[in-house]
């Protein structure tokens, strides 16, 4: 595989403590080429040091329509294995990176685009968004981590339905199924994602890191192992200087109170 990162296909800007990562192949509906996959990996492995959260979005009318059909070709088993692992590494850089990532979803969130979205930590869809896994009806299988990440969100039965039947979910169905945590009117996904990312960026960095890296692992551990891991991570997080300062603010009445709609 001789692909190199297509750095023109990804744009990164810093909005305060939030890195905005934008897919920039609108003429291709932001379809995922190998060059774009490599650029995503490089981008999330080298986010600006000042970033404490990130938003990923798509330029144009769609978030991401999946694999670039121009790169769809026959591969032998070894080539297919390495191609799939290329995607895994890129999406791991998002899910297991340094900062939480919010996906702003609109238009097509299809195939590899849904796999990409499932690697993010929070997903916001506007009412133009639609979700599909057409691999099943095309005689292939997901290869970009979808078989692991998507059932964690919606369960095996729903994913199987989408792949067996080619079912397309609208934004409302996706929210009910658990594919997305937030749904907003058309055109407002990025604004909502930025609002959430700014709130996330204001958290203690160690707490954010623990939520990203420890919580998913605890969920997969046996209960006694999970409880022990929880105790360790809780002790580490509360020992961080920023956590101690926030706890003092709470105890001394300076911290904001929890209110409905907060």
């Amino acid at each position: 595989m001789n692909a190199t990162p297509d750095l023109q296909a990804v744009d990164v800007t810093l909005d305060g403590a939030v890195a905005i990562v934008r897919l920039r192949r609108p003429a291709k509906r932001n379809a995922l080429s190998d060059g774009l996959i490599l650029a995503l990996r490089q981008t999330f492995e080298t986010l600006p040091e000042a970033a404490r959260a990130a938003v990923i979005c798509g330029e144009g009318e769609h978030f991401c329509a999946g694999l670039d059909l121009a790169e769809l070709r026959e591969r032998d088993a070894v080539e297919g294995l390495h191609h799939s692992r290329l995607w895994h590494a890129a999406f791991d850089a998002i899910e297991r990176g340094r900062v939480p990532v919010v996906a702003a979803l609109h238009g097509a969130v299809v195939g590899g685009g849904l796999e990409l979205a499932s690697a993010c930590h929070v997903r916001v869809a506007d009412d133009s968004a639609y979700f599909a896994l057409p691999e099943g009806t095309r005689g292939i299988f997901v290869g970009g981590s979808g078989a692991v990440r998507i059932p964690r969100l919606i369960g095996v039965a729903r994913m199987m339905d989408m792949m067996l039947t080619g079912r397309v979910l609208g934004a409302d169905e996706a929210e009910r199924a658990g594919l997305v945590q937030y749904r907003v009117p058309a055109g407002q996904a990025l604004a909502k994602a930025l609002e959430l990312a700014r709130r996330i960026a204001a958290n203690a960095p160690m707490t954010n890191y623990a939520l990203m890296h420890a919580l998913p692992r605890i969920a997969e551990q046996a209960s006694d192992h999970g409880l022990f891991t929880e105790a360790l991570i809780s002790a580490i997080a509360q020992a961080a200087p920023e956590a101690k300062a926030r706890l003092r603010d709470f105890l001394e009445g300076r911290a904001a109170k929890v209110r409905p709609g907060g």
Side-chain angles (χ1 to χ4, degrees):
M1 191 172 297
N2 299 316
T4 57
D6 181 3
L7 300 180
Q8 301 300 312
V10 178
D11 179 66
V12 183
T13 57
L14 198 60
D15 180 348
V18 177
I20 303 173
V21 179
R22 190 183 305 270
L23 308 182
R24 296 190 61 197
R25 303 185 79 211
K28 289 274 194 175
R29 302 202 304 170
N30 294 317
L32 297 168
S33 63
D34 287 349
L36 176 50
I37 289 291
L38 289 169
L40 279 171
R41 178 179 179 179
Q42 181 172 314
T43 294
F44 280 94
E45 289 178 341
T46 60
L47 284 175
E49 191 63 32
R52 292 178 61 160
V55 168
I56 185 167
C57 59
E59 184 174 302
E61 298 180 2
H62 302 279
F63 173 70
C64 177
L67 175 67
D68 187 347
L69 295 181
E71 297 197 353
L72 190 61
R73 60 182 179 82
E74 291 186 10
R75 294 184 173 93
D76 64 28
V78 173
E79 290 174 327
L81 170 67
H82 289 302
H83 186 255
S84 184
R85 296 298 283 164
L86 178 81
W87 285 50
H88 293 169
F91 294 168
D92 278 352
I94 296 172
E95 183 182 37
R96 302 179 187 273
R98 186 173 60 81
V99 302
V101 182
V102 182
L105 307 173
H106 73 293
V109 188
V110 171
L114 180 49
E115 293 180 295
L116 169 58
S118 72
C120 299
H121 305 95
V122 178
R123 285 161 295 281
V124 180
D126 78 16
D127 283 336
S128 74
Y130 56 94
F131 302 77
L133 293 167
E135 290 88 345
T137 58
R138 290 175 180 163
I140 56 177
F141 195 77
V142 289
S145 75
V148 171
R149 290 191 171 103
I150 296 171
R152 289 176 181 165
L153 301 177
I154 63 174
V156 171
R158 284 195 179 99
M159 181 173 177
M160 190 177 296
D161 174 34
M162 291 177 72
M163 292 195 70
L164 285 173
T165 68
R167 182 177 181 178
V168 179
L169 302 184
D172 57 338
E173 294 174 295
E175 182 186 29
R176 290 198 303 270
L179 269 179
V180 302
Q181 296 103 313
Y182 296 87
R183 179 176 150 223
V184 294
Q188 296 185 23
L190 180 56
K192 182 64 176 180
L194 284 169
E195 173 197 327
L196 295 169
R198 292 184 186 113
R199 188 183 307 177
I200 291 167
N203 294 340
M206 184 59 212
T207 298
N208 280 347
Y209 193 84
L211 288 168
M212 293 167 58
H213 290 266
L215 188 59
R217 290 175 167 90
I218 290 170
E220 294 183 349
Q221 291 177 335
S223 59
D224 59 334
H225 294 181
L227 291 171
F228 186 70
T229 305
E230 177 191 77
L232 291 175
I233 296 300
S234 177
I236 292 168
Q238 70 185 13
E242 186 170 346
K244 292 180 179 180
R246 289 172 184 238
L247 182 58
R248 283 194 299 271
D249 287 343
F250 175 76
L251 293 174
E252 295 169 11
R254 294 189 296 272
K257 297 187 182 303
V258 175
R259 301 187 186 281

